[in-house]
Amino acid sequence: KRVSQPFKNRTAVTKEERLRQRKNCVAIDKDRASSANDNFLITVRLFGSFPLLFTVCFAVTKEADFMPKRRANGEGNIRKRKDGRWEGRYTVGHDPETGKAIIKNVLGKTQAEVKEKLKKAIEENIGIDYGRAKNYTVGSWLEVWMENYAKIKLRPSTFKTSQGFLKNHIKPQIGGIPLADLTSLDLQRFYKHLLDGGRVDRIEAKKKPEGLAPKTVRNIHQMIGSAYNLAMEQKLVTRNPTQGCALPKVEHKEMKTLTADQLSTFFQEARDSGVYELYYLDLATGLRRGELLGLKWADVDLDRGVLKIQRAISRQNGKVVEAPLKTKNAYRTLPLSADAIDVLKAQKNKVGSSEWVFPSPTGGPISPDSVLHMLHRVLKRAGLPRIRFHDLRHPYVKPTTKKFITFF
């Protein structure tokens, strides 16, 4: 019979050590029962016959469990930040180029507050294509809106003005901000800049204030709001940052009207300058400047005593062109007084075969700017205060003074 010889350098294992190893094995067995993985326990005897045990746990999982988990859109989690606030994060999409998740977050003072915000944010972001929205900045999206929507809906003159807003103000200041990142605070700072000193340094603006007029700032605000409404319809953003902005109040300038005596003096000077018929007809009908210049003899029925408003004249890209009227209601038929008919008959004899009621020296329509400059010259020669063209037609359009005044 073979007698085993004890290993000389064998380390003694105490009873307490064996008990600890058994407890470890029991704990691992429990973990195996509660886990979906397949765990294997292997006990290895080392150094001869003495039961010095090492327990090794091998966990074998399915291949899919080793793959990195891709969080689905709409999933969120909540954690407490180091600054004491609670933060909720949620996935809104994946970058089409890199495949990385696009993460948004909400913050709050309490876990309950963040939980409610997170739920609302996830609901609002359903269907939003942040991968596509990432391709746009504020400036590039407004260019898309201008070319595909504004160009169709706006009048040519209004479209040109909007192009100036985009080029001179919007793109230099906020054009580089990602479309989905623009906030109401960004807009408030932008509007303040425009009011304080946003006017572009041009020759014609030297005598004007450094800041833009409140009405101009409101027009820019409306333009940005319309572009973001389209972005919401296209599922690029969840909200319109223009909502809730504080806008400057528009101070309406008091009209400077001429008294009856001043009007008499004005028309006498206009007659001497050869433009009496133009300004008298404007006073008699209350037409806008572009509408007045857009009149053709085909629109005038002297026998019936009526006048049809069919078009307007405006300057676009340095050229005097025909333009559509502002609204559907602007296309209208107006009655003519007997005095107005007499004035038009005199004008017809003056211009001869021209199709335009008030032609330019070259035969085409008169430029709106020329009519305004002509008005200022007549007022200056007559020793009268300077007024706007709109103020001249005020006695007709104001409800309390809708009276025809004859000056012969």
Side-chain angles (χ1 to χ4, degrees), residues 176-195:
I177 299 177
L179 179 65
D181 293 348
L182 184 68
T183 65
S184 297
L185 182 58
D186 293 329
L187 289 177
Q188 288 295 163
R189 290 169 177 162
F190 173 51
Y191 298 156
K192 185 177 184 301
H193 165 76
L194 295 180
L195 291 168

Side-chain angles (χ1 to χ4, degrees), residues 279-316:
Y279 292 110
Y280 176 82
L281 189 64
D282 180 66
L283 179 67
T285 59
L287 295 180
R288 296 180 177 90
R289 180 173 38 165
E291 295 172 343
L292 182 67
L293 301 180
L295 289 176
K296 294 183 178 181
W297 288 113
D299 307 323
V300 181
D301 190 334
L302 296 176
D303 296 331
R304 294 175 54 207
V306 294
L307 185 69
K308 290 184 178 180
I309 313 304
Q310 300 291 327
R311 72 196 63 78
I313 297 299
S314 66
R315 178 179 287 277
Q316 299 173 21

Side-chain angles (χ1 to χ4, degrees), residues 128-336:
I128 301 299
D129 191 351
Y130 279 96
R132 190 160 60 97
K134 191 177 179 181
N135 297 326
Y136 294 105
T137 61
V138 174
S140 63
W141 178 250
L142 260 79
E143 287 179 343
V144 171
W145 173 80
M146 287 281 295
E147 185 63 27
N148 297 281
Y149 290 84
K151 196 171 186 178
I152 299 173
K153 296 179 65 176
L154 300 179
R155 297 172 67 245
S157 58
T158 306
F159 177 75
K160 183 182 178 182
T161 300
S162 299
Q163 283 183 314
F165 290 159
L166 179 59
K167 177 184 177 181
N168 298 324
H169 304 295
I170 297 175
K171 291 182 73 173
Q173 296 298 322
I174 60 174
I177 299 177
L179 179 65
D181 293 348
L182 184 68
T183 65
S184 297
L185 182 58
D186 293 329
L187 289 177
Q188 288 295 163
R189 290 169 177 162
F190 173 51
Y191 298 156
K192 185 177 184 301
H193 165 76
L194 295 180
L195 291 168
D196 292 343
R199 190 177 298 279
V200 178
D201 187 16
R202 293 182 297 187
I203 295 176
E204 60 268 29
K206 283 187 175 181
K207 295 182 179 180
K208 297 183 178 180
E210 293 183 359
L212 295 182
K215 182 65 168 63
T216 303
V217 174
R218 281 178 169 266
N219 290 341
I220 293 175
H221 170 81
Q222 185 178 9
M223 176 180 169
I224 297 173
S226 298
Y228 265 88
N229 284 338
L230 176 62
M232 291 178 68
E233 293 175 5
Q234 296 296 315
K235 300 295 184 181
L236 297 177
V237 295
T238 60
R239 56 181 176 73
N240 191 330
T242 61
Q243 295 178 356
C245 287
L247 299 177
K249 293 182 180 180
V250 177
E251 297 180 0
H252 296 282
K253 294 182 179 179
E254 184 179 356
M255 281 190 172
K256 298 178 180 179
T257 58
L258 300 178
T259 65
D261 291 338
Q262 288 175 327
L263 279 173
S264 180
T265 303
F266 170 78
F267 280 118
Q268 183 60 52
E269 182 60 39
R271 185 187 296 278
D272 296 340
S273 300
V275 291
Y276 168 79
E277 293 81 5
L278 186 148
Y279 292 110
Y280 176 82
L281 189 64
D282 180 66
L283 179 67
T285 59
L287 295 180
R288 296 180 177 90
R289 180 173 38 165
E291 295 172 343
L292 182 67
L293 301 180
L295 289 176
K296 294 183 178 181
W297 288 113
D299 307 323
V300 181
D301 190 334
L302 296 176
D303 296 331
R304 294 175 54 207
V306 294
L307 185 69
K308 290 184 178 180
I309 313 304
Q310 300 291 327
R311 72 196 63 78
I313 297 299
S314 66
R315 178 179 287 277
Q316 299 173 21
N317 298 323
K319 297 180 180 180
V320 178
V321 297
E322 294 184 37
L325 301 178
K326 284 189 173 182
T327 63
K328 292 181 179 180
N329 293 333
Y331 294 86
R332 61 201 187 277
T333 300
L334 299 177
L336 293 171

